[in-house]
Amino acid sequence: MLSLQSADFFFALASHVTKSQPLRLGNRVLTYRDIIANAINRTGTFGRVFLVRDRESRAFFALKQMKIPDVIRLKQEQHVHNEKEVLSEVNHPFLIRLFWTHHDERFLYMLMDYVAGGELFSFLRSRGRFSNATGLFYTAEIVCAIEYLHAREIVYRDLKPENILLDSEGHIRLTDFGFAKKLSDRTWTLCGTPEYLAPEVIQSKGHGRAVDWWALGILVFEMLAGYPPFFDDNPFGIYQKILAGKLEFPRHLDFYVKDLIKKFLVIDRARRLGNMKNGADDVKKHRWFKAVDWETVPLRKLKPPIVPKVSHDGDTSNFDVYPEDDWKKDPPVPPKDLEIFKNF
């Protein structure tokens, strides 16, 4: 599905990125001659993700490239630094891994795992909604990922189907940590996707890790219903519905999952499931998860309900096509602007 770009452009990109700062993989140090870039597979507000390959091992990676002027214009400097800090610290089977970062006069670069199965969003949209058992599988793996992050005082803040990738076997990998942050207390930054924002974020009361459990309640509802519980044509209408907190469940939803969602979508953070004294343990003990052996979940022992069609490790068929553009022609950033990213 993806259109391959010109080989000359990609080799120029790869050589430019890795020439000044070698990439270390195990006992090997990769240089610009070791990297081949193949195709675009994801896009964002100010970034593109390229599929790249190590010439010797033939291993594939995802290279995230961000325009520095756009990062500055959109006031995303701190978010970019937060993403690097968080990803440099974490190591979990359900989280994307970061191997290397770099910047030049135009772009910031992050080299990460390439996860070939595509976004959970795509599978949800093609099926309309998931069965109770399918939603349970993804929720169990996400609970383990959130528990791991929160144990390290990290709030994710951007849980949604678009940020959940499936690997070739069908297990999840959370990606896009641009809103993630190390947090000892609370933060006041308004960020996230409107349908998934917790009330305390909308009200600017200061928020913490409880927002991830709220977002998980929204996600479980959307996976099983096919639409989020609070939606409107404009963000303000969405916020009003979130603050009103009125839930209307489809009739087909399981009794226990409705109870779980209600306990996640509690406006009072002190009473929200996952954010009380026992943290994630309270979530794991909920009746909806009664058949789950939690020790086996992070070991990837649960059987995935969906196995993406992946012909090889560098298969790009599960991602959408994006048009070619002229990023390489962007002018260099002034030195004073580059100073912000000197440690990136």
Side-chain angles (χ1 to χ4, degrees), residues 78-79 82 155 157 179-191 200-201 204-209 211 269:
Q78 192 56 56
H79 285 162
N82 289 345
V155 57
R157 296 199 293 183
F179 290 152
K181 187 177 184 179
K182 287 279 288 185
L183 203 62
S184 56
D185 185 21
R186 282 188 282 176
T187 184
W188 280 261
T189 311
L190 176 62
C191 62
E200 60 266 29
V201 179
S204 299
K205 288 183 173 180
H207 62 271
R209 294 182 289 277
V211 301
R269 288 168 288 180

Side-chain angles (χ1 to χ4, degrees), residues 17-307:
V17 172
T18 56
K19 190 179 294 183
S20 61
Q21 266 184 272
L23 164 66
R24 189 175 296 277
L25 285 178
N27 295 323
R28 291 183 55 224
V29 175
L30 272 64
T31 69
Y32 72 94
R33 294 181 182 85
D34 296 313
I35 300 293
I36 312 166
N38 291 348
I40 295 174
N41 65 53
R42 294 189 92 218
T43 185
T45 308
F46 50 84
R48 290 284 188 276
V49 179
F50 298 89
L51 176 65
V52 299
R53 193 173 197 183
D54 170 14
R55 289 183 192 273
E56 182 177 314
S57 71
R58 310 303 287 170
F60 289 94
F61 301 92
L63 180 67
K64 184 175 181 178
Q65 177 188 3
M66 296 168 279
K67 288 184 177 182
I68 293 176
D70 287 351
V71 172
I72 294 171
R73 177 176 57 83
L74 296 168
K75 296 181 171 59
Q76 296 297 305
E77 300 97 326
Q78 192 56 56
H79 285 162
V80 166
H81 285 294
N82 289 345
E83 183 173 17
K84 177 188 175 181
E85 179 189 6
V86 167
L87 285 177
S88 297
E89 179 178 321
V90 301
N91 182 18
H92 191 273
F94 300 144
L95 303 178
I96 208 80
R97 288 179 300 171
L98 174 68
F99 298 104
W100 175 82
T101 60
H102 178 57
H103 76 274
D104 57 24
E105 297 173 330
R106 296 174 174 83
F107 303 104
L108 305 175
Y109 303 96
M110 304 177 77
L111 193 78
M112 298 174 283
D113 287 311
Y114 176 61
V115 183
E119 299 171 0
L120 185 68
F121 175 84
S122 301
F123 294 97
L124 180 56
R125 287 295 170 266
S126 66
R127 293 182 177 218
R129 66 180 192 232
F130 292 150
S131 68
N132 189 68
T134 298
L136 179 66
F137 170 86
Y138 294 126
T139 306
E141 292 198 337
I142 293 165
V143 166
C144 290
I146 293 174
E147 179 183 32
Y148 174 88
L149 291 171
H150 289 186
R152 282 148 187 80
E153 298 188 333
I154 295 166
V155 57
Y156 179 51
R157 296 199 293 183
D158 206 13
L159 187 63
K160 58 183 178 179
E162 294 90 331
N163 287 342
I164 302 167
L165 300 178
L166 299 187
D167 66 21
S168 59
E169 296 178 6
H171 294 282
I172 72 152
R173 299 290 287 276
L174 293 189
T175 190
D176 200 342
F177 280 69
F179 290 152
K181 187 177 184 179
K182 287 279 288 185
L183 203 62
S184 56
D185 185 21
R186 282 188 282 176
T187 184
W188 280 261
T189 311
L190 176 62
C191 62
T193 301
E195 289 87 351
Y196 279 74
L197 290 183
E200 60 266 29
V201 179
I202 297 168
Q203 294 173 319
S204 299
K205 288 183 173 180
H207 62 271
R209 294 182 289 277
V211 301
D212 288 338
W213 297 116
W214 174 279
L216 183 55
I218 301 290
L219 179 64
V220 174
F221 187 107
E222 182 169 359
M223 286 194 294
L224 300 182
Y227 54 88
F230 310 112
F231 62 91
D232 197 89
D233 291 336
N234 65 79
F236 184 71
I238 294 170
Y239 300 154
Q240 285 183 313
K241 291 178 179 179
I242 290 171
L243 295 176
K246 185 180 179 182
L247 283 170
E248 294 183 6
F249 292 102
R251 288 185 179 181
H252 71 272
L253 256 60
D254 173 85
F255 171 82
Y256 289 122
V257 80
K258 286 192 285 189
D259 182 71
L260 177 71
I261 292 167
K262 287 176 187 175
K263 288 177 177 174
F264 279 142
L265 302 184
V266 170
I267 291 189
D268 181 357
R269 288 168 288 180
R271 294 173 49 245
R272 189 176 301 158
L273 192 68
N275 196 51
M276 295 183 285
K277 181 182 176 182
N278 298 318
D281 284 339
D282 288 335
V283 178
K284 292 178 173 182
K285 290 174 182 175
H286 190 276
R287 289 284 293 169
W288 193 49
F289 298 112
K290 61 183 180 294
V292 175
D293 179 353
W294 285 103
E295 290 187 4
T296 68
V297 179
L299 299 176
R300 295 161 49 96
K301 293 288 182 68
L302 295 189
K303 184 180 179 181
I306 299 171
V307 179

